Amino acid sequence: MSSVRAMASTRFVSLFNAKAADSTKTLARAGWSVCFRRNFITSPSRLQSCMSAWVIDQYGTNGVLKFAEEITVPTVNSPSEVMIKVHAASLNPLDISMRGGYGAKFLKLRRDPMSVMDNNNDSEFPLILGRDVSGVVVDCGSEVTHFVPGDEVWAAVPPWKQGSLAEFVTLTEYEVSQKPKLLSHTEAASIPYVANTALSALVNAGGLCRDSSSNKRVLITGGSGGVGTFSIQLLKAWGAHVTVTCSQNAEGLIRGLGADEVVDYTAEDAHEQLGMMEKFDVILDSVGGETEHWAMGLLKPWSGAKYVTLVTPLLFNTDSMGLLGGMFQTGYTLHSKATQNIVSSGVFYRWGFYAPDGPALDEVSKLMDAGKSEVWMVSSVTPLLSPFIVNYKRC
């Protein structure tokens, strides 16, 4: 859980095209030193076979990231795909983990199921990172009905697809949404991945929605991160009562987003403070570890309460045990924990995952463009949600 000061240090960095086609600039950010050359394609009529992108050719530390200008341009290969010219893109903590090889075995299988028969360990390279994108549609498949070239859109790029740190990215229309009109591309590029993750956890796993959240009591642990700050605003817009644990330094931010009660998790009596409160209907846990051992007792017993954690062992298990062993162990862990909690207290134990969902982003876009007071902070918080944002923009 990071403090406000730590998050403020992750303010976005915009990179602009230089007037000379071969001009370069150095981005020094969080220990990364990379050189960026700007000679981007600007219209569909000028599409070429290659594009510029930030790629990795192997897993490792910051040194494996490099700028390449000869990456094959993605194309629309299915009737439901759209091709997007990237105006802004951002990184998430998952990208940093993926750079080091986290989830490599499972994500490789998700990209290409036939890779399970392939002994080539490098078939996923070059790999483009970047989970968020905001840009303009430049091409559409024959069955696309919701978008046309020229539409300004935003999306979260699934981790099994080539990312957004490139000039172009191709997604299905069901993963894409119309960008909020009130947000710039740079602002919009820091929202989709955390929004889709929060919505998947709260709606699919937590059973909450606009019509069912009124007066529901929700506890968010580690609420000062990207998913937490987004969830606070969304839940308050839906009428829920929200309690958040965070560090003392982040309390001002969390209260400003609308949290009803805030508990400093570093305080010696933090667990006692929570235990004295009325029990909760849903807990969204973004901390993991020992949290679930003491948090389960904070839920309303035998009332359909749900504990949803975003910290799951799936990718770690498949990395360390292999695909078959890792998935078996993961399934066994989830089954045993779910059974134990439903039998002992009637509490549902669930895992929350990111899920690509364009229609869900449509709802977020409507809230923002409607100027709802509960979500007005989103645009000012967005720079805090990602380590940095790359802005592809003509001077």
Side-chain angles (χ1 to χ4, degrees), residues 15 29 38 44 62 93 103 107 120-121 157 165 182 195 204-205 215 233 243 297 313 324 342 345 364 377 393:
L15 302 178
R29 193 77 173 105
R38 300 167 186 81
N62 291 340
L107 295 176
N120 181 9
N121 294 326
V157 182
L165 297 185
L182 296 182
N204 298 338
N215 298 320
Q233 297 169 90
T243 300
L324 185 59
I342 196 67
S345 59
V364 176
M377 284 286 290
K393 184 175 180 181

Side-chain angles (χ1 to χ4, degrees), residues 77 148 312:
N77 292 318
V148 295
T312 70

Side-chain angles (χ1 to χ4, degrees), residues 2 7 92-93 190-191 194-195 198 222-233 286 381 384-386:
S2 58
M7 289 193 302
N92 284 265
S190 60
I191 297 175
V194 295
S224 60
V227 174
T229 53
F230 184 88
S231 298
I232 294 167
Q233 297 169 90
S286 60
V381 171
L384 309 180
L385 303 185
S386 305

Side-chain angles (χ1 to χ4, degrees), residues 303-347:
S303 62
K306 301 174 181 67
Y307 176 89
V308 181
T309 179
L310 297 172
V311 184
T312 70
L314 173 61
L315 298 185
F316 175 81
N317 284 347
T318 54
D319 286 341
S320 60
M321 303 178 188
L323 288 170
L324 185 59
M327 286 190 283
F328 176 83
Q329 180 61 44
T330 299
Y332 174 78
T333 299
L334 177 58
H335 180 267
S336 61
K337 289 186 176 183
T339 301
Q340 177 185 350
N341 284 284
I342 196 67
V343 170
S344 63
S345 59
V347 167

